Amino acid sequence: MRNNSRGRTVSAAGMVLCAFFSLAAVSHAELIDRVVASVNNDVVTLSELREAVAFNAALGGKGNGRQLERETREGLINGRLLLQEAYRLKFAEASEQDIAAEVDRLRQRLGSDDAYRAFLDRTGLTEERLGRMLGDRLLIERFVEKKIGLYARVSRDEAQSYFQDHPNEFKDQRFAQVQKSITAILSEQKVSQQLDQYIAELRDRAVIRLNPLREEEQ
């Protein structure tokens, strides 16, 4: 059965990050696990979904219960589709060094090795699993930047128009002082819009199957 629902992503590029929740690829499901969704020939397992929910919660995400699980599953599905396209088009890659750098950035964000260890304990993630998760997220960021970001250019005229249309945001400031920040705002908006459209197109072409998230729903 084809599922044409269009889940939104979280912001552009930098957003791809959280937004799409933690996006780790799974080659197979263990017998003790359960498949909660399939995306073309790929699967999302219940344990992966729970890891994604725990990952976001540990980094300050909000929400709980079934709605959060459904939203997280949609993010994982969107991430799968983007990963599949990135591999198919050979647009981007993440090396072991890149992944190690991402893990180090997370460690620094958490503030200490003890906080990092506590984070792994709270989420139930191993370092290997965390590395795959962050590596997939980095790959998606790079793919979005190359596939979409290059076509989300903001002209000086567009920035000037935004400046003139939002006078209350820029009181006592000249356009030259805020042009870069306006350009960044408009660029992110364009990327987000185009990314939503691109994901919708991928979902329309994909074969997506959803299974109940909880045993009692079956």
Side-chain angles (χ1 to χ4, degrees), residues 6 14 46 76 89 105 115 119 127 133 137 178 185 211:
R6 299 183 175 182
L46 180 62
L76 289 169
L89 299 174
R105 271 190 280 274
F119 172 83
E127 289 191 283
M133 188 178 289
R137 188 176 70 171
V178 296
I185 291 171
N211 292 327

Side-chain angles (χ1 to χ4, degrees), residues 125-203:
L125 289 164
T126 63
E127 289 191 283
E128 179 183 4
R129 181 74 171 162
L130 176 63
R132 287 204 302 269
M133 188 178 289
L134 294 178
D136 284 345
R137 188 176 70 171
L138 178 60
L139 180 57
I140 288 172
E141 289 179 40
R142 291 179 173 178
F143 175 66
V144 169
E145 182 179 359
K146 289 185 177 182
K147 179 69 176 178
I148 295 174
L150 294 178
Y151 304 99
R153 302 295 188 185
V154 176
S155 69
R156 188 181 189 281
D157 288 345
E158 288 176 309
Q160 183 96 51
S161 295
Y162 185 92
F163 177 77
Q164 293 171 348
D165 293 341
H166 299 79
N168 292 333
E169 293 183 28
F170 309 107
K171 290 181 178 179
D172 302 321
Q173 292 179 297
R174 298 191 307 275
F175 174 66
Q177 294 176 292
V178 296
Q179 181 178 355
K180 286 185 178 180
S181 61
I182 292 174
T183 298
I185 291 171
L186 295 180
S187 178
E188 182 170 337
Q189 289 176 355
K190 282 190 174 185
V191 170
S192 293
Q193 292 168 358
Q194 292 185 31
L195 183 57
D196 286 343
Q197 181 180 348
Y198 184 56
I199 288 176
E201 292 170 356
L202 291 178
R203 292 182 74 109

Side-chain angles (χ1 to χ4, degrees), residues 4-38:
N4 292 329
S5 61
R6 299 183 175 182
R8 289 185 60 83
T9 64
V10 287
S11 68
M15 65 181 183
V16 172
L17 331 181
C18 310
F20 285 122
F21 309 99
S22 32
L23 306 169
V26 175
S27 59
H28 65 281
E30 297 179 8
L31 293 178
I32 60 172
D33 213 340
R34 192 158 59 84
V35 173
V36 295
S38 62

